[in-house]
Amino acid sequence: MASGSRCFFLLLFTRQLEKRAVCCVNNVTPLCSGFGPFGEHTVNASWVAVQELKKLGLGSEVDLHVYEVPVEYQTVQSLVPSLWKQYHPQLVVHVGVSGMATTVTLEKCGRNHGYKGLDNSSFCPDSQCCIVGGPDCIDSVIDMESVCKRVTASGPGVTVSVSKDAGRYLCDFTYYTSLYLSRGRSAFIHVPPLGKPYSGEDLGRALKAIVQEMLELLDQAEEKIHCQQHFH
């Protein structure tokens, strides 16, 4: 992994939105991250895609804020919890690049064990796991199959797929950490390298469509829960 690699966090804040349902009004706060250059990825497609998402936005109710941190296990262990504590986001979406990917890939789960690759500081956890004593695998509460189908039906111009293995490196490590802290209210999206076959603009548009569908699914689920509580 290249020295001085960076991870970029993109915070998205929305003002309170009126809901049509009389029983539910939400204040939505999603958070997104993308990784900086490492190894052969001197320009990381995930960060380019997140920048494009920032340009596109998610509507007039959304403000976007970018955070940059070193790509290191120990930094992730401290930074991700601090972001959850500070912003209490409705959803966190992490974005990473995969040299093997040819599609935009929605990761269904994060894994706790098997982290042997060294980070930018030539470090990996002695335990080779994210959370000592944590479950082996945590699934996202987001129905990735449903998101994939809905985004594909919208014709985003990219191929979207679903995976059960985020790779046992910083991507997977970050994802599991968020899933653990949020009780599953996190998502991870792998994108292919730039030009193989998609441009940064293509990936940005795909991210926008995907995040909007994820938020819509969460919103529908929460509205149903809030309405049930209201009438009981």
Side-chain angles (χ1 to χ4, degrees):
M1 194 174 204
S3 173
S5 181
R6 292 287 188 267
C7 169
F8 299 86
F9 282 84
L10 177 64
L11 298 180
L12 312 175
F13 298 100
T14 66
R15 296 186 292 276
Q16 184 166 286
L17 305 178
E18 280 190 21
K19 307 307 295 180
R20 292 184 180 177
V22 295
C23 56
C24 183
V25 178
N26 280 343
N27 186 18
V28 183
T29 308
L31 180 157
C32 293
S33 75
F35 289 95
F38 69 96
E40 66 190 42
H41 303 286
T42 55
V43 176
N44 194 312
S46 70
W47 171 229
V48 173
V50 169
Q51 286 181 303
E52 291 298 327
L53 173 60
K54 179 181 178 182
K55 293 177 186 176
L56 293 170
L58 294 173
S60 61
E61 299 296 330
V62 180
D63 297 322
L64 300 95
H65 303 267
V66 177
Y67 284 73
E68 177 185 359
V69 298
V71 179
E72 300 170 350
Y73 290 109
Q74 290 173 308
T75 301
V76 168
Q77 286 175 324
S78 62
L79 177 69
V80 173
S82 71
L83 290 173
W84 275 100
K85 184 177 181 180
Q86 182 175 358
Y87 298 108
H88 304 287
Q90 183 193 28
L91 172 69
V92 168
V93 180
H94 301 286
V95 185
V97 66
S98 170
M100 298 181 293
T102 57
T103 67
V104 174
T105 308
L106 311 181
E107 300 291 349
K108 298 183 71 170
C109 58
R111 309 280 176 174
N112 194 18
H113 300 95
Y115 295 93
K116 302 177 182 179
L118 300 179
D119 66 10
N120 284 347
S121 298
S122 299
F123 172 85
C124 74
D126 291 337
S127 62
Q128 298 183 358
C129 75
C130 298
I131 308 291
V132 175
D136 289 339
C137 178
I138 302 177
D139 291 326
S140 174
V141 299
I142 302 292
D143 183 345
M144 297 301 177
E145 297 286 355
S146 179
V147 172
C148 182
K149 290 177 182 177
R150 291 170 66 157
V151 172
T152 298
S154 72
V158 305
T159 301
V160 182
S161 63
V162 177
S163 163
K164 296 181 179 180
D165 186 356
R168 303 302 203 289
Y169 194 47
L170 263 298
C171 290
D172 210 346
F173 190 88
T174 302
Y175 191 23
Y176 182 93
T177 301
S178 264
L179 287 167
Y180 184 85
L181 293 168
S182 65
R183 299 182 180 180
R185 298 179 66 84
S186 301
F188 198 99
I189 303 169
H190 265 125
V191 298
L194 293 176
K196 297 184 179 181
Y198 304 117
S199 68
E201 292 82 0
D202 293 332
L203 296 176
R205 287 191 293 269
L207 284 187
K208 179 176 180 177
I210 290 167
V211 173
Q212 286 177 327
E213 289 294 347
M214 289 179 174
L215 290 173
E216 178 66 21
L217 287 176
L218 272 181
D219 192 57
Q220 290 174 359
E222 290 182 352
E223 184 173 311
K224 181 177 180 180
I225 291 171
H226 292 161
C227 287
Q228 290 173 340
Q229 292 174 341
H230 179 79
F231 289 112
H232 283 84

